[in-house]
Amino acid sequence: MRASKFLGASAIMLIIALLPHLAWGASVDFSQCSNENPTLNNCKWIGSILNAANSEYREGMSVPQRLILRDIAATGGSSHTLTFSHQTTKGGIHAYDYLTAWNQGNSPLLTLNPCSDLPATYISICNGLRSSGYEYHIIVPDDPYISKDGSTQMRINAYEASYGNREIILRGNQPILAANLQLAHSVAAGADAGDSDIRYTLTWTSQSTQVMVEMGGHLAISGNTSMDWGWGLGASQISGGPYHFNLGGIDSGSLGSLDNQIMGSSIIPLYNNTNTTNVTNTTNGSGPPTIAPNPVIPRVCALDVVLIIDSSESIDTFELSQMQQAYQVFVKAFLPSTNTQIAVVDFDNFGKVLNGYTSDPAIVNASIMSTASGGFTNWEDALEEAHLLYDNRQAVPDLFIFASDGNPNRIGNLSILADENLSMERAIGKANAIKYDGIRIITIGIGNQLKPDNLAAISSPDAVYLSDFSTLAGTLAEIASDYCSPGSVVVRKNVNGTPAAGWQFTATGSGVTPSTIINTTDPSGKLFFSFSVNAGATSVLSITEQATPGYNLSSAACWSNGIPVGSRFGLSMQGVPFNSTANILCEFNNTAITNATNTSNVTNITNITNVTNTTSDITCLSPKYLLHSGQVLDIPFSAIFTASDPYSAYDFTASSPSRVKLQVIASSAKVTAEENNLNGEQTGTIKIQSVSNPADTKTCPITFHRLAANCDSISCRACTDFACLESNSCLDGLAFVLDPATPVRLGQFVSVTPAYSVASFNIFDPRYTVTPTSGPVSQIFSIAADATVPDGHRTAGRFTVNVAGYANGPAYVCPGLQRWHKEIGAPVNDLDSDLLVTSSRPVFHYFEKDGIVTMVGPYVFTAKVWVR
Amino acid sequence: MRKGYLFTMDAVFSALILIISAIIILNQLPKPSTDYFTDRMGADVINVLSHTQTTELCSISDTSCNCYKYVKLEAIVCSPVVRNREAGILDVFSEVILTGAVSSKEIEDAIHEIFVTKNVIDEKRFGFAVLYSTPGSVAPLELYNTETYTP
């Protein structure tokens, strides 16, 4: 009897325990992807723990979670609520930091096998759900939670900038009318020093009795980019017990408290905290792979050069030998005869510094000869290692020469396998940091196994050389002579900012042999003049471009060992001093004139040359016109002259029985405006003259004004978005959009001499705001970007300018804008010891003066505390 | 007598050996690292300066600027020559250092006010310094040092 009472009580307890489950009747399969079980990156779905024996995840990956529910009881209004959670910190270390799509950001993508490893009944349900067509993509909401280690949303923003918005998918066997996801943290802001969770409530409206949820948990990253939580704070750093992805209940009923667990030991870190940070890197963040401009450095013989040499396994022994010899040719061009210093970085799986900067050619050549073929291709780490050598000599220009025979396939300093896209994103990020330091990167593609676009992305299109192993020596010699070839002149020719081939130049000088050389630019837009001159003697050269119809010479300049020399006269640079050690670079920049031959050519404005009659009753209207870039002015004769009766009725056509003669009297040769590089105001005159009585004349002025704008009319009007503007290459300067707002004024971009006002200043991207949007000549506009705009993002704005008294306004000025969002970064490394100084912070600072914004820094603040 | 003497000596030596052993053992026990502790405090100091926005300590509008309980900080933040006053404290410091808008004494006073006057750091137990360096600095500049600060 007592036993039966005990048995009865136990049974009641069991029933009570199972009541929620039994009452609602829903059944569930909740499993996760073990991605090395046994095949790497091929999912085997398990309901047990992910550990090192069945998985190999790295930080930053999404761990796919699969939930299938069946026999869902009907509810009023077909509205359902599912709760689940995941641990976001364990012992204060970040675990899953947010939800993602179930394969988002995984590189390579996991093979999901979405309906495998299920009981037979669930397999058919899963297949049915995935083919039903009833699916709902649910945006994962923002997470404003402030962790003890900073903002969660800031990291999400960085992630979404690279991998897109985060969505989970809800599938049903009946239409899903609505769905929504909400989240809440289990602890207050900053109180996540122990264990904490994010709790989700997923609601949907559907008559589905079966649903499937596809989602992923993002493994938090240790590191110091904007996606990361700081060193030692990522998912791989959680030791001891596992952390969880928990299932709660559906419609207030329990689903049995299922959870998917993962061990920190199954996760590998993305970065190794040994040498990946310096002051520059700590503040750059990850951001999208916007390609930074490649700095131009002067043509000098004193350089700090890093040779970055690919020695991956795709280079065979013979090719390696050819490559080593080629590099020695380059070294010989500089050392020991010049003040250049050369460092060598070799890379395959990793980047490795073979020697630091040195002027000893024996050391450099020994490093080059020590390279050995083997391993994969890790551009990111190669660039990182090279960057860590910066800045050897502050007064000396820095040049990185990067050569590779294959596209990258490894990332980080742990040489993690990655596809080309991710590898390039990482490499571009490193290259951008290098370029921002003023270092020019020249890239050499060896062979035909890699994409030139990839090389251009880490340098610039004008800094890509394509070669093969047998011609590499010639390529490197050409690069060397580009920068240092005493007794020579290099001319670079650009048209609309792009190197241009086939342009003829003539160089003449007294006391040099030969006295005249004519040469033509090669496909890279360059040519060389080489003269002999007696040692110690100095000559003077003149370098002249051959005039080419349809092009303006917008600028020309020469430098000798980096110092400006000579002066421009028409199409020539004259007075360029030259001797046996001179290392001259001249740059000629032209602009193609689109339909510009007739622009503002006064003779053609009216297209009337023979009209007869007297002019005594004709008065001047003295019109003013804006000369828009690339636009043909079509000014009617009646806008220049007013003729009273009886001449007002004249149509001034060539067939008119009463004709006058028109004659242009230019006040200067530059009245033809754009092709003569006219900026500002210019007045021409037009004389009307009687054919029958030549003494009967009337001269009227006509005034033109051209803003110093590249992009003021047709280009701007044709563009409705930044992509178009960018492809037009007609932006009038660049402004950095900083926090909290960047002050700019029109005068920062162009000069406008007559009185003007800014009718409007608009930015195409709605995430940017301008205050105010119009104003007088002195108006300072403030540009701000909202927090969703990632660092490095580019867009453009447009000033609409009304110039007082001009007939055919307005004019347009279109500045490029780049978001520069600099947070106070992670701790910096000590420059000498490379040890992390946790009590330091770099600060970038900007200030505005006269409408010009200047960015300076980083300034490093450090605090020291000691016990008394 | 002799036995008593020997016993006493025995006892004394035993006690000495015990004491010495205890000292040795105690010395070998792990102790809190002073360096570690002060490093963490240094990080805290710089975190306060870098993550605290002026708007958290001051009320700033187009027409007024008042830092209430931070009079020294107000002298800097609310100075008419500061262009970027709604920013982190370090941002403001870097601006005024760059532009020379205020004297080093004013910055020193503000740091003293934030940490010492407000009892964030007990100056009797701890000394602290805030250093500043630029990309071209040979040696960092001392913005504040408890050992040299005079009110």
Side-chain angles (χ1 to χ4, degrees):
Chain A
M1 183 65 183
R2 290 172 65 187
S4 64
K5 276 185 180 176
F6 178 73
L7 195 61
S10 299
I12 290 167
M13 292 296 289
L14 184 63
I15 289 166
I16 290 170
L18 293 174
L19 189 58
H21 186 75
L22 297 173
W24 294 94
S27 298
V28 63
D29 180 274
F30 184 41
S31 45
Q32 57 184 344
C33 164
S34 57
N35 72 336
E36 194 179 27
N37 195 8
T39 308
L40 182 62
N41 298 325
N42 187 56
C43 281
K44 182 175 177 57
W45 294 89
I46 61 174
S48 55
I49 192 166
L50 301 181
N51 56 37
N54 60 29
S55 295
E56 183 183 288
Y57 283 96
R58 62 176 160 75
E59 291 178 351
M61 288 183 74
S62 295
V63 179
Q65 306 285 326
R66 182 184 67 188
L67 172 66
I68 301 174
L69 291 160
R70 65 182 174 93
D71 304 329
I72 300 171
T75 62
S78 301
S79 178
H80 299 277
T81 302
L82 173 76
T83 57
F84 60 93
S85 64
H86 60 70
Q87 270 189 296
T88 188
T89 57
K90 184 175 174 62
I93 300 175
H94 297 266
Y96 289 116
D97 45 3
Y98 41 81
L99 276 189
T100 59
W102 68 351
N103 212 355
Q104 191 170 5
N106 292 339
S107 179
L109 288 172
L110 303 176
T111 302
L112 289 169
N113 311 314
C115 290
S116 63
D117 311 311
L118 284 165
T121 51
Y122 278 94
I123 290 176
S124 61
I125 291 171
C126 178
N127 286 326
L129 289 169
R130 288 184 58 81
S131 60
S132 70
Y134 302 133
E135 65 180 60
Y136 206 103
H137 291 243
I138 305 164
I139 301 284
V140 180
D142 287 346
D143 187 350
Y145 182 77
I146 303 297
S147 159
K148 64 181 174 48
D149 303 308
S151 160
T152 304
Q153 187 58 42
M154 191 182 82
R155 286 156 177 88
I156 290 173
N157 290 344
Y159 179 86
E160 291 189 337
S162 292
Y163 303 111
N165 287 337
R166 299 163 301 131
E167 293 179 347
I168 66 173
I169 296 177
L170 175 69
R171 299 180 190 277
N173 59 351
Q174 293 294 321
I176 300 169
L177 304 179
N180 179 260
L181 183 67
Q182 293 182 324
L183 63 82
H185 282 253
S186 62
V187 295
D192 54 347
D195 293 358
S196 66
D197 299 332
I198 302 178
R199 295 165 184 168
Y200 297 89
T201 303
L202 174 61
T203 56
W204 70 90
T205 305
S206 171
Q207 293 181 351
S208 296
T209 55
Q210 301 164 351
V211 299
M212 179 175 183
V213 181
E214 300 168 1
M215 57 189 168
H218 181 260
L219 293 168
I221 306 172
S222 294
N224 64 354
T225 76
S226 53
M227 246 186 263
D228 313 337
W229 289 101
W231 294 113
L233 294 172
S236 68
Q237 305 300 307
I238 296 175
S239 58
Y243 44 100
H244 305 251
F245 217 112
N246 297 85
L247 201 55
I250 181 168
D251 299 337
S252 304
S254 169
L255 287 169
S257 299
L258 296 174
D259 70 347
N260 289 333
Q261 303 178 35
I262 184 169
M263 294 288 290
S265 58
S266 66
I267 302 164
I268 52 179
L270 190 58
Y271 304 109
N272 188 353
N273 182 18
T274 54
N275 59 358
T276 56
T277 56
N278 62 15
V279 171
T280 305
N281 288 342
T282 55
T283 54
N284 276 336
S286 52
T290 304
I291 297 167
N294 201 7
V296 174
I297 60 173
R299 186 182 190 234
V300 293
C301 290
L303 294 165
D304 282 341
V305 179
V306 181
L307 299 176
I308 307 170
I309 304 173
D310 184 351
S311 63
S312 58
E313 64 185 1
S314 54
I315 300 171
D316 65 31
T317 307
F318 179 67
E319 291 169 338
L320 186 67
S321 169
Q322 286 180 309
M323 195 169 75
Q324 290 168 334
Q325 290 171 26
Y327 276 111
Q328 290 185 65
V329 169
F330 179 86
V331 174
K332 192 175 181 181
F334 284 97
L335 301 181
S337 57
T338 73
N339 193 25
T340 285
Q341 295 187 9
I342 300 176
V344 179
V345 171
D346 163 52
F347 72 95
D348 39 62
N349 289 332
F350 308 95
K352 181 183 176 185
V353 177
L354 299 181
N355 70 264
Y357 287 104
T358 179
S359 55
D360 185 344
I363 294 173
V364 181
N365 287 333
S367 295
I368 291 168
M369 294 307 292
S370 72
T371 53
S373 176
F376 292 92
T377 307
N378 189 339
W379 287 13
E380 180 193 11
D381 201 40
L383 292 166
E384 170 73 9
E385 289 296 322
H387 197 194
L388 288 171
L389 295 168
Y390 177 77
D391 184 13
N392 180 39
R393 294 175 291 176
Q394 288 189 357
V396 175
D398 289 86
L399 176 67
F400 285 5
I401 298 177
F402 178 100
S404 183
D405 78 327
N407 297 310
N409 50 25
R410 286 290 190 276
I411 59 171
N413 59 3
L414 294 175
S415 194
I416 293 166
L417 174 68
D419 66 7
E420 184 184 322
N421 288 339
L422 181 60
S423 302
M424 279 307 302
E425 281 181 24
R426 299 284 180 170
I428 290 169
K430 293 296 176 193
N432 286 351
I434 291 167
K435 293 175 192 172
Y436 285 133
D437 275 341
I439 303 165
R440 183 167 177 81
I441 305 175
I442 287 178
T443 49
I444 305 171
I446 310 171
N448 54 7
Q449 299 300 310
L450 85 178
K451 297 174 184 169
D453 285 351
N454 284 347
L455 293 174
I458 62 167
S459 55
S460 54
D462 65 335
V464 176
Y465 292 77
L466 300 177
S467 183
D468 57 43
F469 288 97
S470 62
T471 59
L472 182 59
T475 303
L476 284 164
E478 181 187 344
I479 294 170
S481 59
D482 270 359
Y483 286 95
C484 179
S485 180
S488 72
V489 177
V490 170
V491 175
R492 287 184 191 153
K493 177 72 193 174
N494 296 307
V495 173
N496 293 339
T498 304
W503 285 73
Q504 182 177 300
F505 285 82
T506 303
T508 58
S510 57
V512 293
T513 305
S515 60
T516 299
I517 305 176
I518 297 173
N519 207 343
T520 304
T521 55
D522 64 16
S524 65
K526 287 180 307 194
L527 63 80
F528 282 83
F529 292 119
S530 192
F531 293 96
S532 297
V533 62
N534 292 334
T538 296
S539 176
V540 175
L541 297 182
S542 173
I543 297 120
T544 305
E545 170 184 302
Q546 186 180 49
T548 305
Y551 293 90
N552 295 330
L553 179 59
S554 49
S555 66
C558 292
W559 300 264
S560 179
N561 288 312
I563 299 168
V565 292
S567 55
R568 179 183 168 187
F569 189 87
L571 298 178
S572 296
M573 281 302 299
Q574 298 189 354
V576 178
F578 184 82
N579 58 32
S580 59
T581 62
N583 190 38
I584 309 286
L585 168 68
C586 292
E587 195 166 275
F588 287 72
N589 295 300
N590 287 56
T591 308
I593 302 168
T594 307
N595 296 325
T597 307
N598 294 328
T599 302
S600 74
N601 184 326
V602 177
T603 305
N604 291 335
I605 288 172
T606 59
N607 201 26
I608 299 171
T609 54
N610 291 296
V611 184
T612 59
N613 216 308
T614 62
T615 60
S616 55
D617 292 318
I618 293 177
T619 55
C620 299
L621 292 175
S622 305
K624 290 181 174 183
Y625 292 96
L626 288 173
L627 293 173
H628 291 303
S629 173
Q631 187 179 36
V632 177
L633 278 177
D634 183 12
I635 302 172
F637 189 73
S638 58
I640 303 171
F641 302 101
T642 296
S644 55
D645 287 338
Y647 310 110
S648 58
Y650 295 156
D651 61 8
F652 297 110
T653 58
S655 60
S656 170
S658 308
R659 294 163 45 179
V660 293
K661 180 181 178 182
L662 285 176
Q663 182 181 0
V664 176
I665 304 172
S667 61
S668 88
K670 289 188 177 181
V671 75
T672 50
E674 186 179 35
E675 61 266 42
N676 286 302
N677 205 28
L678 170 66
N679 287 318
E681 201 169 55
Q682 185 75 47
T683 299
T685 51
I686 297 177
K687 181 167 72 177
I688 194 165
Q689 182 178 37
S690 166
V691 173
S692 56
N693 178 12
D696 187 2
T697 64
K698 182 75 174 179
T699 300
C700 288
I702 180 169
T703 302
F704 302 96
H705 179 80
R706 180 171 178 249
L707 282 73
N710 297 321
C711 177
D712 67 348
S713 181
I714 291 177
S715 300
C716 269
R717 285 175 180 159
C719 291
T720 55
D721 59 27
F722 174 62
C724 180
L725 283 169
E726 178 135 289
S727 64
N728 284 347
S729 300
C730 63
L731 295 170
D732 292 303
L734 178 67
F736 292 112
V737 178
L738 306 161
D739 295 325
T742 296
V744 299
R745 60 161 63 110
L746 178 65
Q748 179 179 339
F749 304 103
V750 295
S751 61
V752 187
T753 307
Y756 69 90
S757 61
V758 179
S760 66
F761 180 30
N762 302 312
I763 298 178
F764 302 124
D765 189 324
R767 293 175 297 175
Y768 292 79
T769 55
V770 176
T771 308
T773 55
S774 62
V777 57
S778 57
Q779 183 64 53
I780 293 179
F781 297 89
S782 291
I783 311 172
D786 71 30
T788 64
V789 183
D791 183 32
H793 179 261
R794 288 174 67 92
T795 186
R798 183 172 69 187
F799 289 98
T800 302
V801 184
N802 285 331
V803 183
Y806 282 76
N808 61 331
Y812 298 93
V813 177
C814 306
L817 306 172
Q818 184 165 17
R819 168 75 156 156
W820 203 345
H821 179 63
K822 297 294 180 188
E823 296 285 347
I824 292 176
V828 301
N829 279 24
D830 181 83
L831 293 177
D832 296 324
S833 65
D834 202 34
L835 294 174
L836 198 66
V837 185
T838 56
S839 56
S840 289
R841 289 287 183 279
V843 176
F844 284 85
H845 177 68
Y846 70 90
F847 65 95
E848 178 271 338
K849 186 178 180 185
D850 300 330
I852 296 172
V853 177
T854 303
M855 170 74 80
V856 290
Y859 302 114
V860 179
F861 289 84
T862 307
K864 303 283 184 193
V865 178
W866 56 91
V867 178
R868 285 195 190 278
Chain B
M1 182 64 188
R2 183 180 169 80
K3 270 188 181 176
Y5 174 75
L6 286 174
F7 178 80
T8 304
M9 290 299 291
D10 243 13
V12 168
F13 279 124
S14 300
L16 279 173
I17 289 167
L18 275 172
I19 291 165
I20 291 167
S21 302
I23 290 169
I24 292 170
I25 289 166
L26 286 173
N27 271 331
Q28 288 175 343
L29 288 174
K31 292 178 293 189
S33 162
T34 303
D35 287 348
Y36 174 77
F37 185 63
T38 53
D39 281 353
R40 290 294 300 269
M41 290 187 67
D44 287 345
V45 167
I46 210 72
N47 276 331
V48 167
L49 288 174
S50 59
H51 292 303
T52 305
Q53 298 290 304
T54 55
T55 48
E56 296 172 45
L57 304 180
C58 309
S59 169
I60 300 170
S61 71
D62 290 343
T63 54
S64 68
C65 181
N66 191 325
C67 299
Y68 305 108
K69 298 176 182 175
Y70 292 85
V71 178
K72 304 293 185 185
L73 184 65
E74 181 179 305
I76 297 173
V77 171
C78 299
S79 163
V81 294
V82 172
R83 296 188 178 91
N84 190 23
R85 61 168 53 94
E86 293 182 45
I89 293 175
L90 280 191
D91 286 310
V92 175
F93 283 179
S94 71
E95 178 185 329
V96 296
I97 293 169
L98 176 79
T99 58
V102 302
S103 69
S104 60
K105 178 73 170 95
E106 287 171 279
I107 295 174
E108 208 177 0
D109 288 343
I111 294 172
H112 183 82
E113 178 180 66
I114 292 167
F115 292 104
V116 181
T117 310
K118 302 296 179 189
N119 282 327
V120 176
I121 289 181
D122 180 357
E123 211 178 17
K124 291 176 184 168
R125 295 179 57 204
F126 301 103
F128 81 102
V130 178
L131 312 174
Y132 164 83
S133 59
T134 66
S137 298
V138 177
L141 171 73
E142 228 171 49
L143 288 179
Y144 179 85
N145 189 333
T146 46
E147 310 305 309
T148 56
Y149 177 75
T150 50

